[in-house]
Amino acid sequence: MISFLKPAPHIERLSADKQDPTYRRLRWQVFMGIFFGYAAYYFVRKNFALAMPGMIEAGLYTKADLGYALSFVSIAYGISKFIMGSVSDRSNARAFLSLGLFLSGATMVAVGLFPWATSSIYIIAILLFLNGWFQGMGWPPCGRTMVHWWSKKERGTIVSIWNTAHNVGGAVPALLLMLATSIYANQHGIPSVNDVAQSEIWREALYYPGFAAMIASVFVYIVMRDTPQSCGLPSIEEYKNDYPDDYDAEKDEKELPAKEIFIQYVFKNKLLWYIAIANVFVYLIRYGVLDWAPTYLKEVRHFNIDKSSTAYALYEIAAIPGTLFCGWVSDYVFKAKRGLTGFIFMVATTIALYIYWKAESQDLAMAMMVLVGFLIYGPVMLIGLHALELAPKKAAGTAAGFTGLFGYLGGSVAAGALIGWASTKYGWDSGFHIMLAGSVIACLLLLLTMVQENKHHAEMQED
């Protein structure tokens, strides 16, 4: 297993006439691997949220119970993304990405198929923790891959396109649940999917996406490659003649020891700390809306299973144009000022979130939920991109994992456990009070990031 995960060795270079066509072919082959691979991680990242209304309806557990269990995904993912980020910086991205996906899918299949797996909230929490840990093997190898196969001038565009993968993948569980509901209705002679009780269909929300993720892991392993040098190609900097100002081939192409990565390029990086803390509150909104949408829309807005699944899917789908638009605004309107762009998008998110809470009609509530999805993933993408830009490419996985540690261990855990507890004890209004307060704090922190970013650029110009 250890040798399976070791970085692929450099091989003898291809002849000059073969390098360009091979690079062009492999770059898009590799992109397919990281795009569809990371999308498949989201088949089983938060699909448990779709099962929760049925479990509540069946009287198995309360919202507080399930919020507690759901938080274990985020706790494990936050820690794993940081630790596995360090491991991935010294691993074969191809093997690392596909292995984590297979194990994550297998875990959710077990939760859905075996009655013992949901017989206790503590067993559920343990299995969700395992799933979260395997999920931490997704982002870091993708980040490592992008900084090895695309140069700095290309990276903003490629990251924004790749970042839509989690929205494509995040929409799939809801679509699979709609398919499972239709199959169930046909098998039991139920005339309409709207008549299917959610208490009868919640297990399918778990194992349908799980099997899909396991199948996708095989595809990922087939199409992925590790580094260009492992394929007989020059480094991306040499190929594109696009060298960072401080680029040193001997240093930048050498695998770094974990201690140097952590101390020199993460813990001493002030700007990385700022965006990591901001990430806590961005993730609180991202998952506060998404995780609880199926339950909130059922209990408060009286959506049926088909309509709530549609809203859940549209939230993720809307993020695709939203993320691309945010990337374009960041690059071409604000000239790579990530903090300013993130601040503007978070202000708009706060307004949309408030209207979502106060909307008097189902249609307006759904429209505002979709608008939040369009807006919130821009700041999510910018923070991840900024982290990649603030560290050498051999430390990219760790830097991205560091911001993810804060986002998931802080924001996503609060979205699950805190909002679940508050809405159970004090009602749904209290959950929105928490999210709106977090959204305002995110705006202030991104404003601080913008100020520090401007200072950082000024210092670089002086040097």
Side-chain angles (χ1 to χ4, degrees), residues 219-451:
F219 168 80
V220 171
Y221 188 77
I222 291 172
V223 303
M224 274 285 289
R225 296 294 182 270
D226 193 18
T227 63
Q229 292 92 327
S230 71
C231 301
L233 298 168
S235 71
I236 188 61
E237 290 79 10
E238 180 182 342
Y239 173 64
K240 284 291 185 178
N241 192 28
D242 181 13
Y243 295 94
D245 294 336
D246 57 350
Y247 182 80
D248 182 326
E250 184 176 348
K251 182 184 74 174
D252 286 77
E253 298 303 329
K254 181 183 70 173
E255 302 296 334
L256 298 172
K259 183 178 179 181
E260 183 178 348
I261 291 174
F262 283 124
I263 296 176
Q264 187 65 32
Y265 299 112
V266 175
F267 293 141
K268 290 185 177 181
N269 194 326
K270 184 189 297 185
L271 199 53
L272 191 61
W273 278 94
Y274 288 134
I275 64 173
I277 296 171
N279 211 28
V280 172
F281 299 96
V282 172
Y283 269 64
L284 172 64
I285 309 310
R286 174 188 177 183
Y287 285 122
V289 174
L290 182 65
D291 285 353
W292 291 104
T295 305
Y296 170 74
L297 293 175
K298 176 181 182 293
E299 293 186 356
V300 178
R301 300 293 180 176
H302 308 297
F303 280 29
N304 58 42
I305 187 171
D306 190 50
K307 193 167 184 178
S308 65
S309 295
T310 300
Y312 187 97
L314 287 177
Y315 178 91
E316 294 283 9
I317 292 170
I320 297 172
T323 302
L324 295 174
F325 177 64
C326 183
W328 179 84
V329 169
S330 175
D331 283 346
Y332 296 102
V333 178
F334 296 123
K335 309 301 180 186
K337 294 180 179 177
R338 316 302 185 194
L340 174 59
T341 311
F343 170 72
I344 292 172
F345 269 69
M346 277 309 303
V347 170
T349 298
T350 305
I351 296 170
L353 179 62
Y354 179 82
I355 300 174
Y356 172 55
W357 173 33
K358 293 295 186 180
E360 295 183 358
S361 69
Q362 284 190 348
D363 291 341
L364 182 58
M366 179 182 281
M368 287 301 102
M369 178 182 165
V370 173
L371 182 58
V372 170
F374 178 88
L375 293 166
I376 191 63
Y377 283 93
V380 170
M381 179 272 295
L382 288 175
I383 289 173
L385 171 58
H386 211 166
L388 291 177
E389 293 176 341
L390 290 170
K393 66 182 183 180
K394 295 299 184 181
T398 308
F402 185 68
T403 60
L405 175 69
F406 279 73
Y408 278 89
L409 209 56
S412 191
V413 169
L418 183 59
I419 293 176
W421 169 81
S423 61
T424 299
K425 190 171 181 65
Y426 301 108
W428 279 108
D429 283 354
S430 64
F432 277 93
H433 291 154
I434 292 169
M435 287 191 287
L436 285 167
S439 194
V440 170
I441 295 171
C443 291
L444 295 175
L445 286 167
L446 287 172
L447 182 63
L448 175 63
T449 301
M450 178 182 70
V451 172

Side-chain angles (χ1 to χ4, degrees), residues 43-56 66 70 73 108 128 173 177 198 202 205-206 287 289-296 308 312:
F43 294 178
V44 284
R45 173 72 59 84
K46 291 290 185 177
N47 62 315
F48 188 76
L50 289 168
M52 293 196 305
M55 298 174 82
I56 294 169
L66 296 175
L70 188 64
V73 178
M108 294 312 291
L128 292 183
L177 179 58
Q198 295 192 34
W202 62 268
L206 301 172
Y287 285 122
V289 174
L290 182 65
D291 285 353
W292 291 104
T295 305
Y296 170 74
S308 65
Y312 187 97

Side-chain angles (χ1 to χ4, degrees), residues 41-247:
Y41 268 84
Y42 272 78
F43 294 178
V44 284
R45 173 72 59 84
K46 291 290 185 177
N47 62 315
F48 188 76
L50 289 168
M52 293 196 305
M55 298 174 82
I56 294 169
E57 185 179 277
L60 298 176
Y61 301 105
T62 67
K63 291 193 293 292
D65 290 334
L66 296 175
Y68 162 80
L70 188 64
S71 69
F72 276 76
V73 178
S74 301
I75 292 170
Y77 181 75
I79 298 171
S80 176
K81 189 175 180 181
F82 186 41
I83 294 175
M84 289 303 197
S86 176
V87 176
S88 77
D89 281 329
R90 292 168 284 118
S91 299
N92 185 321
R94 176 190 189 187
F96 203 82
L97 184 67
S98 55
L99 177 63
L101 179 57
F102 182 88
L103 293 174
S104 184
T107 302
M108 294 312 291
V109 167
V111 176
L113 284 182
F114 302 118
W116 62 262
T118 51
S119 61
S120 161
I121 199 66
Y122 302 108
I123 295 176
I124 294 174
I126 291 170
L127 290 171
L128 292 183
F129 184 92
L130 282 176
N131 181 48
W133 190 269
F134 297 139
Q135 285 284 315
M137 298 173 69
W139 209 110
C142 291
R144 170 185 165 89
T145 298
M146 285 185 283
V147 296
H148 277 85
W149 286 90
W150 284 270
S151 70
K152 188 172 183 180
K153 289 179 181 177
E154 307 172 289
R155 215 167 283 153
T157 300
I158 207 70
V159 170
S160 65
I161 296 172
W162 169 81
N163 203 68
T164 64
H166 61 231
N167 306 116
V168 173
V172 168
L175 300 178
L176 289 176
L177 179 58
M178 293 168 69
L179 173 64
T181 305
S182 178
I183 293 172
Y184 184 89
N186 289 333
Q187 288 178 338
H188 292 80
I190 300 174
S192 170
V193 294
N194 295 331
D195 296 326
V196 175
Q198 295 192 34
S199 58
E200 298 294 328
I201 204 73
W202 62 268
R203 290 189 180 277
E204 284 82 346
L206 301 172
Y207 67 78
Y208 267 55
F211 279 123
M214 293 172 70
I215 294 169
S217 71
V218 178
F219 168 80
V220 171
Y221 188 77
I222 291 172
V223 303
M224 274 285 289
R225 296 294 182 270
D226 193 18
T227 63
Q229 292 92 327
S230 71
C231 301
L233 298 168
S235 71
I236 188 61
E237 290 79 10
E238 180 182 342
Y239 173 64
K240 284 291 185 178
N241 192 28
D242 181 13
Y243 295 94
D245 294 336
D246 57 350
Y247 182 80

